[in-house]
Amino acid sequence: MRDHGGNLDQAIARFGGDPADWIDLSTGINRRPYPVPTLPPEAWTALPTGAAKRALTEAAARAYGTGAAILALAGAQAAIQMIPRLLPCGTARVLSPTYNEHAATLRAAGWTVEEVDTLSDLPGANLAVVVNPNNPDGRDHRPEALLDLAGRVGTLVVDESFADPLPHLSLAAHAGQPGLFLLRSFGKFYGLAGLRLGFVIGAEDAIETLSAMAGPWPVSGAAIEIGRRALADRNWADETTARLLGETARLDAMAGAAGWAVRGGSPLFRLYETPDAAAAQDRLAAAQIWTRRFPYSPTWLRLGLPGDDAEWQRLDHALRA
């Protein structure tokens, strides 16, 4: 099933209320977003220029610590949909369970997809996908292990959409070699998912081909300007990382008091083992707090981190009720 978090309309249809009444913790999107600056009029009125696009990718290269070629796209999702069509179809192996769009888009493009359990199951595939850190359980892999894997598959796609607060996991410093693609999401860490901005990093010739597929204006002028400024603001990134790392312990303690066990997670979301995920989700939904459960597990429940103090207090009260 291609189900996703962020489906607040379904929660409202079932439990009532208006969107403003709800705390949506069903995604891993930072609920304390980067402050959107005032934009120059041309960000809205003019087509994005080549200079503006280069300024954005240069800011991304500095933020991610890479010298490899980068393409800005309308979210990491755009790269997930494009890469399967860049290569001749064959056998793809996806380290699972994970973000379900990887397997779904590969199948839609004509690939034979095998969802496997361990990194050691991936060698020999024409294309392999690893999400690092993984969504939803936060499982992670050392860069050295992934570099070794890259030499044993045709093409390796490493989705680093949740890696901003965990830069030691990133392969960005090693990117650029043939057969390796890295995906980075802007909207999750910066809390601006509606901006639809992400990046694919890879070998220069492959990035040029993807750029031709994406067309001349793959992201908006507003996304370019906001993304460029945010990626250059390392003080905000460092302060946000420190806050998120501290708040995961707070959320784990609250969940533990409710009788839930930590199953995994990252600084942007936590996954818990509950006695009954459907009942736990309904209990929080009664307090207009939306969470994420999974069709393949009756016990897993994932929560993003609340934003301000009022949200933390509402969640604490709901968990204690």
Side-chain angles (χ1 to χ4, degrees), residues 195-320:
L195 199 64
R196 304 311 308 137
L197 178 62
F199 303 89
V200 55
I201 307 172
E204 187 169 355
D205 58 344
I207 295 301
E208 287 177 355
T209 303
L210 285 173
S211 180
M213 292 171 64
W217 304 291
V219 294
S220 70
I224 289 171
E225 185 64 17
I226 294 169
R228 179 187 65 79
R229 296 192 197 187
L231 288 163
D233 192 343
R234 303 319 299 162
N235 287 336
W236 185 91
D238 291 344
E239 291 169 1
T240 297
T241 294
R243 174 181 62 81
L244 291 170
L245 290 171
E247 289 182 344
T248 57
R250 181 180 182 184
L251 186 55
D252 287 349
M254 290 168 57
W260 302 352
V262 179
R263 180 64 175 76
S266 81
L268 284 162
F269 60 84
R270 311 302 289 165
L271 181 67
Y272 299 108
E273 192 83 37
T274 72
D276 183 333
Q281 184 182 59
D282 288 355
R283 177 173 141 206
L284 292 179
Q288 296 183 310
I289 298 170
W290 193 230
T291 56
R292 173 83 156 95
R293 60 189 182 94
F294 301 90
Y296 49 79
S297 174
T299 58
W300 285 9
L301 194 70
R302 193 192 68 192
L303 280 71
L305 275 64
D308 57 23
D309 287 341
E311 291 189 356
W312 279 98
Q313 291 171 13
R314 275 182 60 184
L315 178 60
D316 187 38
H317 179 76
L319 286 170
R320 292 175 184 273

Side-chain angles (χ1 to χ4, degrees), residues 171-211:
L171 283 180
H174 308 281
Q177 67 184 57
L180 175 63
F181 291 102
L182 305 185
L183 311 184
R184 299 294 297 236
S185 168
F186 174 85
K188 295 177 176 65
F189 178 70
Y190 288 91
L192 298 171
L195 199 64
R196 304 311 308 137
L197 178 62
F199 303 89
V200 55
I201 307 172
E204 187 169 355
D205 58 344
I207 295 301
E208 287 177 355
T209 303
L210 285 173
S211 180

